[in-house]
Amino acid sequence: MRFLAIFRNGTTIVPQIVTTVVAARNIQRKEKKRTLKCGRVVKSEMTSSTLLTILKLLIIFLCAAWISLWILKPTQAWTIIWKHAEQSANNTIFGYYGLNFAVYTFPIIAIAIIGLLFLDLKGEYQRTRSSRSSSTVFSNQLVVNSLFGILTSIEILVVFLVIVFLGWTYYARISNDFKKLMQDKSLKLNLWQLKYLRIATRFGLLAEACLALLLLPILRGLSLFRIFGIQFEASVRYHTWIGTAMILFATIHGASTLFVWGVSHHIQHEIWKWQKTGRIYLAGEIALVIGLVIFVTSLPQIRRRKFEIFYYTHHLYILFLVFFLFHAGDKHFYMVFPGVFLFSLDKLLRIIQSSPKTCIVSARVFPCEAVELVLPKDPRLKYNPTSVVYMKIPTISHLQWHSFSIISSSKADENIMSVMIKCQGWWTNTLYDLIQTELNKGADKRKGIPVAIEGPYGPTSLDFLKHDSVLMVAGGSGITPFLSILAEIDSTTNKNKFPLKIQLVHVIKRAQDVCLLHSITHLLHNQASRKFHLKLKLFVTQETQLDLGITELLNEFVKVKTLKLDSVSSKYYAAYGLESPVWMAAITGCCSITFLIFLICFNHTIIPFRKKSKLSKEKTSSWIVDLLLIAAFVVALSCSALIAIVLRWRRLKKGIPPMSQKEINPFGQSSAEIKNDLEEHEVHFGGRPNFKDILGKFKNETCGSNVGVLVCGPESMKESVAAACQQESECFKLGLKRAEPCFTLHSLNFTL
């Protein structure tokens, strides 16, 4: 019996021991795997960090080298060195054109290629990290006024350096000219006329320097500014500044030259002159006239009221660049060519990306004459909050593109992306009428509305959200970027990546504009169950209805009519977005190499052929060489387009992927009454917000020292918020500890 008892105990204890041992070994294995995984993650992060540092140093080196070329170019020492280099290159297959391309053009192209690789690696690296980044002094606003807008300290520094560079270039050139004044035998000018002609000529070189920078700020897919965290909508103003300076210098150059010809009685002879070699005067005059037309039609008074005129005349830039090439010659054009090269390739890739049309699968119509469009997308397409897409609806216009902020999150919605559109112009009003027409039709008669999509374009990082607390200030339809931010925060599981305390200040003109908050009404409820705390302060400026609270407003105006359209068609595709940065870098490198190869081939085959007919290379018309440059560039773009088309069609899948009813209409019809659990949110009627007071209260409510202020709306509102941030921020006051609250302003743009 005792033996049986021991046996029985053994049969029960032994399995327990075995189970315990196995469980302990499993725990050890899991811990070992977790340790190995953490080790791999740390090792991967170290490798990525090292590669990012190397790429960053390469970009800095190439930028410094390109800037040094511009600084050294006006000096006499560089002129001597460059003449010897061109003579040596002429005896090789490379030729002087290859040397000019490699030295003056390729550094910027190389920066674009390395920058794309840098952005791709940076995006992957930041997705694996959850630490917050501290704000720097250089990111804070320094100048706030109605003339210049909001300028940061780094922007002021860059503008100052550009002005110094232009002054240095002009001084170095004109001082060398005055030392070596030579009489023009054909014009027979006296001394003051000759000096004034040299002054006018050097203003033309300043215009050339501005033209070299003019197209860089408006790149989208191949944007150099994204390396510094500047998006396309924000960099457009740099394009405006540089374009204004270029037209000013070019006008002084052209008007002064015509004045000298006039007083010397040579204007009738010189103005129609198309020289065989050297500067082609007529081409320069045509380029100046085209530039003035583009500048005048881009003034705010015309651009805002007659956008179509601005849009169509801006496409005259092609003729402007061609005639500038004929006027200045290929040697001067190589300094300008980097921007032309990248802009042309960027434009070509955007056309190819947007050519397979998608369609609107559903739309929501709001009482405030706003519509939300739901577009199909590939599940692999990911984008960051505040991203924008450019849309063209052929039913409305075959040429017009308009940018809109995406209000959905690619984490929460795999098969769709949504954009909110407030009807404020001819194009948007026509779209609203088109949706209303389809809404009035029977369900069996509705058809899909074709749409061409370009983008999305967005920030590569979310550093502007890595604050302890965030205050969002939106004016009217400027709420749209913040809708995507809130959707992203709501869908994320990592609390360390985003702020936990958010206050949203929304300024609207009429109470019915509250319907713009339709997509986040569910976030305003049940704050205790949310991963973050959201407080809404609503300001209705042009109405006085003091008896209405946020609950009554939402119940009255957040009513939506949903339109479901037919998207089952073999001619429609889901939006696939841009090519990967790695592929775009490869296409850019292929295009530059192809251009150089064909440029060398054309110059070595066509020019020697003319030489055989007793025409020396020096006597060859300069515009012939210019045409060869254009031909090589067209061939290179064609080859790159072929590669891009093959890549695009390999990614496309026929038809629209099936979507659930929740994806098509994720928030339902909003017909149910909104419950009265919104007491903490505020509504103010009949006045504009006092941003200084709002910032002061928010500063007292926040526990952390790092407060981000995001603002999107009219420029006047941005300037008011920026001024309030300057007054309330404690970062720059001496004698205070770093723990004092600091306001870091981030200005978002939702429209051009």
Side-chain angles (χ1 to χ4, degrees):
M1 294 293 293
R2 187 176 180 183
F3 175 78
L4 290 175
I6 295 174
F7 180 77
R8 288 172 182 172
N9 291 335
T11 56
T12 57
I13 293 173
V14 170
Q16 292 178 0
I17 296 175
V18 173
T19 304
T20 305
V21 171
V22 172
R25 287 181 178 178
N26 289 335
I27 293 173
Q28 288 179 351
R29 288 172 185 170
K30 289 180 180 179
E31 290 293 332
K32 188 175 181 180
K33 288 181 179 178
R34 189 179 298 126
T35 304
L36 291 173
K37 186 177 180 180
C38 291
R40 292 193 196 100
V41 170
V42 172
K43 188 175 180 181
S44 176
E45 286 187 0
M46 291 179 62
T47 304
S48 299
S49 179
T50 304
L51 288 175
L52 284 173
T53 303
I54 293 173
L55 293 177
K56 190 182 296 184
L57 291 174
L58 276 174
I59 292 172
I60 293 173
F61 171 76
L62 289 172
C63 284
W66 193 68
I67 293 171
S68 301
L69 288 177
W70 278 96
I71 295 174
L72 293 173
K73 190 181 178 184
T75 62
Q76 193 64 26
W78 177 259
T79 302
I80 296 171
I81 294 173
W82 190 249
K83 283 184 178 179
H84 287 302
E86 280 192 329
Q87 289 175 359
S88 301
N90 276 331
N91 299 323
T92 65
I93 192 173
F94 207 48
Y96 81 89
Y97 31 81
L99 178 67
N100 276 270
F101 177 80
V103 175
Y104 289 128
T105 300
F106 190 72
I108 293 296
I109 299 176
I111 292 172
I113 295 172
I114 298 172
L116 287 168
L117 300 176
F118 174 81
L119 293 174
D120 183 64
L121 185 61
K122 183 180 178 181
E124 293 292 333
Y125 176 70
Q126 289 188 339
R127 277 192 285 270
T128 61
R129 292 177 62 88
S130 60
S131 60
R132 300 182 189 272
S133 60
S134 60
S135 60
T136 61
V137 174
F138 290 104
S139 65
N140 284 278
Q141 69 280 1
L142 195 63
V143 173
V144 181
N145 59 42
S146 57
L147 181 61
F148 298 104
I150 304 172
L151 295 178
T152 62
S153 52
I154 192 66
E155 287 176 324
I156 295 173
L157 177 62
V158 171
V159 170
F160 174 75
L161 292 177
V162 170
I163 293 174
V164 170
F165 160 71
L166 293 175
W168 153 251
T169 300
Y170 190 79
Y171 169 77
R173 291 288 190 183
I174 205 68
S175 59
N176 289 333
D177 289 344
F178 283 175
K179 290 177 183 177
K180 300 178 180 180
L181 278 176
M182 295 181 64
Q183 183 66 44
D184 192 327
K185 296 180 180 180
S186 60
L187 294 178
K188 297 179 181 180
L189 304 177
N190 56 37
L191 184 59
W192 79 266
Q193 292 171 347
L194 188 60
K195 286 185 176 181
Y196 192 64
L197 184 61
R198 301 310 301 166
I199 290 173
T201 302
R202 295 316 175 190
F203 269 105
L205 290 179
L206 295 183
E208 175 188 310
C210 292
L211 182 57
L213 302 173
L214 182 64
L215 297 176
L216 297 179
I218 55 175
L219 298 174
R220 297 182 194 173
L222 302 177
S223 176
L224 301 178
F225 282 72
R226 283 198 300 157
I227 302 173
F228 308 103
I230 303 173
Q231 295 306 303
F232 172 77
E233 291 75 19
S235 63
V236 166
R237 68 172 177 173
Y238 308 138
H239 171 76
T240 304
W241 293 348
I242 296 170
T244 302
M246 183 197 73
I247 289 298
L248 175 63
F249 295 141
T251 303
I252 295 174
H253 166 66
S256 300
T257 303
L258 291 175
F259 174 75
V260 173
W261 289 348
V263 298
S264 61
H265 307 289
H266 292 91
I267 190 168
Q268 292 183 349
H269 178 263
E270 298 293 331
I271 197 171
W272 303 108
K273 200 172 183 179
W274 187 287
Q275 304 92 294
K276 190 174 182 181
T277 58
R279 304 285 180 271
I280 299 176
Y281 299 144
L282 181 59
E285 295 155 12
I286 296 173
L288 177 59
V289 171
I290 295 174
L292 287 171
V293 171
I294 294 175
F295 173 74
V296 171
T297 55
S298 64
L299 294 174
Q301 295 82 356
I302 297 177
R303 186 181 72 248
R304 293 171 183 169
R305 297 178 182 178
K306 301 289 183 181
F307 181 81
E308 291 76 13
I309 296 176
F310 155 77
Y311 181 80
Y312 297 136
T313 54
H314 237 63
H315 285 78
L316 294 174
Y317 70 86
I318 300 174
L319 294 177
F320 173 81
L321 292 172
V322 170
F323 283 106
F324 172 81
L325 171 60
F326 287 148
H327 172 63
D330 65 321
K331 290 187 178 181
H332 282 267
F333 195 73
Y334 284 112
M335 299 294 291
V336 176
F337 194 52
V340 178
F341 180 95
L342 292 175
F343 179 79
S344 302
L345 184 59
D346 184 72
K347 183 78 171 177
L348 180 67
L349 294 177
R350 289 191 279 121
I351 292 173
I352 293 173
Q353 187 241 326
S354 61
S355 56
K357 290 184 177 57
T358 183
C359 68
I360 301 172
V361 294
S362 69
R364 288 186 271 275
V365 183
F366 299 97
C368 63
E369 294 186 349
V371 293
E372 180 184 345
L373 304 182
V374 179
L375 306 168
K377 78 171 186 68
D378 185 75
R380 294 170 294 179
L381 175 59
K382 303 297 180 183
Y383 49 83
N384 282 328
T386 74
S387 294
V388 300
V389 291
Y390 285 78
M391 290 176 50
K392 179 183 71 173
I393 300 181
T395 309
I396 301 175
S397 173
H398 288 279
L399 297 176
Q400 288 193 36
W401 290 86
H402 295 267
S403 61
F404 300 102
S405 296
I406 301 175
I407 65 171
S408 57
S409 169
S410 58
K411 289 183 179 179
D413 303 309
E414 290 190 350
N415 296 318
I416 63 165
M417 60 180 176
S418 303
V419 296
M420 179 78 76
I421 301 173
K422 187 76 166 63
C423 301
Q424 296 175 330
W426 172 82
W427 193 91
T428 51
N429 284 323
T430 306
L431 173 62
Y432 185 82
D433 295 337
L434 180 63
I435 298 296
Q436 286 283 16
T437 302
E438 292 293 327
L439 193 61
N440 294 330
K441 293 180 180 178
D444 56 336
K445 296 182 179 179
R446 296 171 185 169
K447 297 180 180 179
I449 300 176
V451 180
I453 296 293
E454 181 191 314
Y457 303 104
T460 55
S461 68
L462 297 178
D463 290 340
F464 60 93
L465 288 178
K466 293 186 177 180
H467 296 280
D468 300 325
S469 304
V470 165
L471 175 66
M472 300 179 180
V473 183
S477 53
I479 190 66
T480 51
F482 300 141
L483 299 179
S484 63
I485 291 174
L486 294 173
E488 183 80 6
I489 296 175
D490 185 51
S491 62
T492 190
T493 56
N494 190 347
K495 296 182 179 180
N496 295 324
K497 295 187 71 174
F498 297 111
L500 301 180
K501 186 176 182 61
I502 301 173
Q503 187 172 116
L504 175 62
V505 179
H506 190 200
V507 185
I508 56 179
K509 293 181 179 180
R510 300 170 300 171
Q512 66 176 9
D513 291 338
V514 74
C515 65
L516 296 174
L517 301 174
H518 171 263
S519 63
I520 62 166
T521 50
H522 65 291
L523 298 179
L524 301 175
H525 301 278
N526 303 322
Q527 292 290 330
S529 62
R530 299 289 174 191
K531 297 186 289 291
F532 63 98
H533 183 268
L534 172 65
K535 182 177 181 179
L536 171 66
K537 288 188 177 182
L538 189 68
F539 290 84
V540 184
T541 60
Q542 295 184 1
E543 292 181 1
T544 54
Q545 300 177 13
L546 302 179
D547 57 334
L548 290 180
I550 186 66
T551 305
E552 291 80 10
L553 282 176
L554 292 176
N555 282 327
E556 183 173 354
F557 293 114
V558 183
K559 304 288 180 63
V560 58
K561 297 178 181 178
T562 301
L563 169 68
K564 184 178 179 181
L565 296 169
D566 180 20
S567 61
V568 182
S569 176
S570 59
K571 62 181 179 179
Y572 296 142
Y573 298 84
Y576 280 78
L578 301 168
E579 294 295 337
S580 68
V582 175
W583 273 114
M584 294 180 73
I587 292 173
T588 305
C590 178
C591 185
S592 60
I593 294 172
T594 306
F595 166 77
L596 186 58
I597 291 173
F598 277 94
L599 182 65
I600 292 173
C601 292
F602 289 160
N603 277 277
H604 279 278
T605 55
I606 295 176
I607 299 217
F609 174 78
R610 294 178 60 83
K611 191 174 180 181
K612 291 179 182 179
S613 59
K614 300 181 180 181
L615 286 172
S616 66
K617 194 172 184 178
E618 288 75 14
K619 293 295 183 180
T620 302
S621 298
S622 58
W623 60 270
I624 296 292
V625 181
D626 300 338
L627 286 177
L628 295 180
L629 189 151
I630 294 174
F633 187 44
V634 170
V635 172
L637 285 179
S638 301
C639 295
S640 302
L642 183 61
I643 297 174
I645 290 172
V646 171
L647 290 174
R648 169 59 47 177
W649 285 102
R650 283 186 63 185
R651 291 180 62 190
L652 292 180
K653 294 180 180 179
K654 210 68 170 175
I656 303 295
M659 287 170 281
S660 64
Q661 184 62 31
K662 184 178 179 182
E663 288 179 316
I664 296 176
N665 190 19
F667 306 112
Q669 298 291 334
S670 295
S671 57
E673 289 292 315
I674 293 176
K675 298 179 181 179
N676 190 15
D677 59 348
L678 305 172
E679 291 83 0
E680 66 173 315
H681 305 296
E682 301 176 11
V683 182
H684 303 272
F685 285 93
R688 296 182 179 181
N690 185 336
F691 293 115
K692 184 178 179 180
D693 182 57
I694 291 174
L695 288 172
K697 290 182 180 179
F698 191 68
K699 179 175 65 176
N700 296 330
E701 294 173 2
T702 55
C703 300
S705 61
N706 187 4
V707 180
V709 180
L710 281 61
V711 57
C712 184
E715 289 299 321
S716 58
M717 190 185 75
K718 291 181 180 180
E719 293 162 10
S720 299
V721 175
C725 284
Q726 277 189 326
Q727 295 174 9
E728 289 295 320
S729 182
E730 302 290 339
C731 282
F732 302 111
K733 293 184 179 180
L734 298 177
L736 293 179
K737 297 180 180 180
R738 184 65 181 87
E740 293 292 336
C742 170
F743 290 105
T744 303
L745 181 70
H746 302 275
S747 179
L748 305 181
N749 295 273
F750 68 103
T751 180
L752 299 181

